[in-house]
Amino acid sequence: MYKFFIIALLLVGSSVRAEGDWFESFKKTATDKDLYHFLYAMPKGGDLHNHLSGAGFPEWWLELALAQEKRGYIYYTKIKINNCAGYGGNEFGGNPYLLYFKNIQESTYKKLSACEQSEYVRLQDMSAEQKAGWLNSLKLDSAHEGRDEFFQTHWQRLNELYMNHYVLAEILVRNMQAFGREGLMYLEIDCSPVGMRPDGSLIDAEEVYRYYKERLQQKDAVESGVTVKFQYALLRFAPNAEERLAQMYAFVDAHRDMYVAIDMVGREDNDKGHPLRFLPTLRKLRAQYPGIDLSIHAGEVDEPNKHIRNTLLLGANRIGHGVNLLTDPDTYLLMRHSNYMVEVNLISNLLLEYVDDYSKHPFPELLRTDVPVALSTDDRGMWDSNLTDEFFVAVKEFNLSWSELQTLGLNSLKYGFMNDELKTKLVHDYQKKMDKFAQQFQKGSQRVLSSKPPMRGFICNHYELCSTP
């Protein structure tokens, strides 16, 4: 890792360190819409914190679910609650009964009682009003919604939809295409090799892996220009999490061409997933498997605690979120000028109420005291956002310089878990693109700002960009 940093610094040279006076002048005169257009056109490095099952926009989910009928998949969604006897739901687990727009396969539907079946409708048969409700149910876009809505209903509504690897593969490719239009070069995404057949039986992980690999080799994926690597996601508070972790290590070790790391995910304020639970298991696994990286969610909580420190003790090289890092001064000092990076998700942290407003976010303190950070999108389909939105928030709220923008882009590549050869190439290509972009902008800014980037819900609602001339 140290050797690579030296190479990267040589590639970057003085251009990253030099302050962009032209960018400061642009910020002083640019409208918010001008700034957004600029940031959309700006080359971007990588998105290192992205959950595939949370990266699909609601309209994508619906369109792709309906398209699966040709493969034998029919989906039903819950539109009524008839208080059926013996429903067997678990309101505080993964199968809540009192939840509208929960999606199930036809194989599951056929096993329900007649009363429960009367609560569901095929996706194909939804009324216009039901369709609007279905689409809205997968977005976190209302003031009364927050982390409980997200953690306890969004995933439970998707339910058996995100067990369809054909749907997820298409969501992945659509993300690649959309990110490619934003100028992204590298995507490191949580993608677990799971799938379900129309009859409800599970598909072997090897078969799912082969399908993803073949899908990424098709023309539309390749032409996106985005390089993709996978992480295997572990739900940290699951009762069998240690057993699953051992299985994941074995799978990642056998499929290093596509899988580069394991990511521990899940609501951190569920104490059953506390970091030190996994220390004995990880030490045993490291004695067996060489060089498997860890990226672990930590510090995504309200109260001060030692979770980030304990996560580093587990062997993680990257910290997901790290919102409460400043409440642990010893760990904060350890991470300054270090090889440990914080994956910053500004929109996620606001919508899930880990910060009340951006003035409370630790991001600028971390960035400007040399804790390595990079911006990422987390569950962008549920936020109705993109990576440009993250950069817009960062520049708008924290007055980022051109040098800082480049640092964020470089970090998002330097701290990726890809091999050194690919990393060196991507860093080199990124710097060339950024230099060319800056030169072209300074020669004629209208060329850059003439594009009309798509603006989605978050940026439209939070900054009202879509209503401005």
Side-chain angles (χ1 to χ4, degrees), residues 15-16 18-23 26 38 41-43 402-403 405-406 430-445 447-448:
S15 61
V16 170
E19 201 64 41
D21 293 338
W22 59 272
F23 184 61
F26 168 68
F38 174 91
M42 181 185 74
W402 181 244
S403 174
L405 284 173
Q406 292 192 87
Y430 169 78
Q431 192 59 59
K432 285 180 61 177
K433 289 181 179 182
M434 284 292 272
D435 289 344
K436 181 179 179 181
F437 175 78
Q439 292 168 5
Q440 290 179 335
F441 179 81
Q442 292 174 74
K443 289 179 181 178
S445 62
R447 188 203 66 79
V448 173

Side-chain angles (χ1 to χ4, degrees), residues 62 88 98 156 201 204 206 243 273 296 299 315 369 377 432 437:
L62 183 57
L98 302 172
Q156 291 83 346
S201 61
D204 182 76
E206 289 292 334
E243 178 184 350
I296 302 178
T369 59
T377 60
K432 285 180 61 177
F437 175 78

Side-chain angles (χ1 to χ4, degrees), residues 73 165-166 193-197 201-208:
Y73 292 91
H165 64 294
Y166 299 113
V194 296
M196 182 184 290
R197 294 185 178 85
S201 61
L202 296 180
I203 301 174
D204 182 76
E206 289 292 334
E207 182 179 340
V208 177

